[in-house]
């Protein structure tokens, strides 16, 4: 069964600190993996996309990694800001077959001043 | 601004009411989606329209009725809902292409927060 598991479920950190969110998936065959950010009361917005050949990709203070062999991805946030408080959702798309991606439950991040 | 607009943003309705959620996308996309988001659960796909044709109905109860009059507009008609239907309903759109060119990025609206009393 194609699944996407995220950890931790929730995380509280102090402003300025770094953190790393994890995503493990069983979706196969793999096409791409996206990290979405969802602010409270808003819709999810794509932060970054990782394809099979990419190991690391940065978007400002956000850095995503992908290990296609172990089927793991991480999202590292550097020097966190209050505006980083949100839910971060890992979404994996399957190659061929259904074009509908598989969503993880998300990690809820709270950044305190 | 994602280019996908949902109205209303908030809706409170009784179990016997009939209401509709509206979604409009200004991105020129050819696929539109309804997702349900409940607390602590992954987004649940409800319906997919591809070039105005419904291609997915994810075992959704008949009290939810979608309508896609054209590739830019999507509605979700609600009738005799249950309290457990209270959730955030998200509309999304994407550009479908053939083969490996499709990245699958979904562009979401802000959502309609539904409360069923």
């Amino acid at each position: 069964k194609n699944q996407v598991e995220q950890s931790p479920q929730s995380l509280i950190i102090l402003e300025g600190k770094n953190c790393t969110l994890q995503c493990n998936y069983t979706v196969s065959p793999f096409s791409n993996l996206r990290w979405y950010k969802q602010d409270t009361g808003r819709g999810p917005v794509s932060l970054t996309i990782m394809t099979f050949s990419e190991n690391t990709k940065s978007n400002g203070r956000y850095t995503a990694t992908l290990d296609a062999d172990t089927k793991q991805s991480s999202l590292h946030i550097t020097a966190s800001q209050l505006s980083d408080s949100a839910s971060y959702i890992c979404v994996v798309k399957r190659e061929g077959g259904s074009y509908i991606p598989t969503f993880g439950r998300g990690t809820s991040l709270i950044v305190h001043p | 601004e994602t280019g996908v607009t949902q109205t209303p943003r908030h809706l409170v309705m009784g179990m016997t009411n009939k209401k509709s959620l509206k979604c409009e996308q200004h991105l020129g996309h050819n696929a539109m989606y309804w997702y349900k988001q409940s607390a602590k659960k992954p987004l649940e796909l409800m319906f997919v329209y591809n070039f105005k044709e419904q291609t997915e109905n994810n075992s959704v109860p008949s009290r939810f009725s979608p309508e896609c009059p054209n590739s830019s507009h999507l509605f979700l008609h609600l009738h005799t809902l249950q309290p457990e239907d209270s959730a955030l309903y998200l509309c999304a759109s994407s550009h479908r292409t053939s083969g490996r060119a499709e990245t699958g990025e979904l562009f979401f609206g802000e959502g309609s927060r539904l409360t069923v009393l």
Side-chain angles (χ1 to χ4, degrees):
Chain A
K1 183 178 178 181
N2 293 318
Q3 289 185 314
V4 177
E5 300 291 338
Q6 292 188 243
S7 63
Q9 183 175 333
S10 60
L11 183 61
I12 300 174
I13 63 174
L14 292 176
E15 187 179 12
K17 298 296 186 182
N18 304 334
C19 66
T20 301
L21 314 179
Q22 300 290 344
C23 175
N24 296 340
Y25 62 91
T26 60
V27 176
S28 182
F30 174 84
S31 175
N32 63 57
L33 180 150
R34 285 185 184 274
W35 284 94
Y36 283 82
K37 179 187 180 188
Q38 184 176 19
D39 293 317
T40 301
R42 310 288 291 272
V45 176
S46 178
L47 285 174
T48 184
I49 178 174
M50 305 292 289
T51 57
F52 188 86
S53 59
E54 296 173 309
N55 298 120
T56 304
K57 184 179 285 186
S58 292
N59 177 4
R61 295 179 296 101
Y62 300 103
T63 299
T65 67
L66 175 67
D67 185 333
D69 292 329
T70 61
K71 295 190 168 84
Q72 295 180 325
S73 177
S74 67
L75 181 68
H76 185 75
I77 303 175
T78 304
S80 60
Q81 300 177 358
L82 299 180
S83 59
D84 293 330
S85 296
S87 179
Y88 292 84
I89 306 172
C90 178
V91 183
V92 183
K93 183 179 177 296
R94 189 171 175 266
E95 180 71 39
S98 173
Y99 59 90
I100 306 300
T102 302
F103 283 75
R105 293 173 185 262
T107 292
S108 176
L109 173 66
I110 298 175
V111 180
H112 278 312
Chain B
E1 186 63 49
T2 63
V4 180
T5 304
Q6 288 187 242
T7 56
R9 292 293 310 278
H10 300 273
L11 178 62
V12 180
M13 59 186 290
M15 292 168 59
T16 58
N17 291 156
K18 286 184 181 180
K19 297 286 184 182
S20 295
L21 306 181
K22 178 183 176 181
C23 177
E24 183 176 0
Q25 59 97 358
H26 310 275
L27 301 169
H29 289 165
N30 51 23
M32 297 188 75
Y33 311 73
W34 279 116
Y35 280 89
K36 177 184 178 182
Q37 188 174 36
S38 304
K40 302 188 187 306
K41 295 174 72 174
L43 269 72
E44 301 173 52
L45 179 67
M46 300 176 72
F47 301 103
V48 181
Y49 278 82
N50 194 14
F51 292 101
K52 299 188 300 178
E53 298 296 322
Q54 186 179 131
T55 57
E56 296 273 344
N57 178 338
N58 210 22
S59 302
V60 180
S62 60
R63 56 186 184 268
F64 295 91
S65 174
E67 178 189 359
C68 188
N70 54 62
S71 58
S72 299
H73 293 84
L74 185 64
F75 295 88
L76 187 62
H77 303 300
L78 315 170
H79 178 50
T80 60
L81 295 190
Q82 305 297 313
E84 59 264 30
D85 296 323
S86 299
L88 181 68
Y89 288 85
L90 289 162
C91 172
S93 70
S94 72
H95 182 64
R96 300 247 27 244
T97 62
S98 59
R100 290 176 173 269
E102 181 166 6
T103 68
E105 181 174 4
L106 297 172
F107 292 78
F108 287 89
E110 305 284 40
S112 293
R113 172 69 62 185
L114 174 66
T115 302
V116 182
L117 302 176

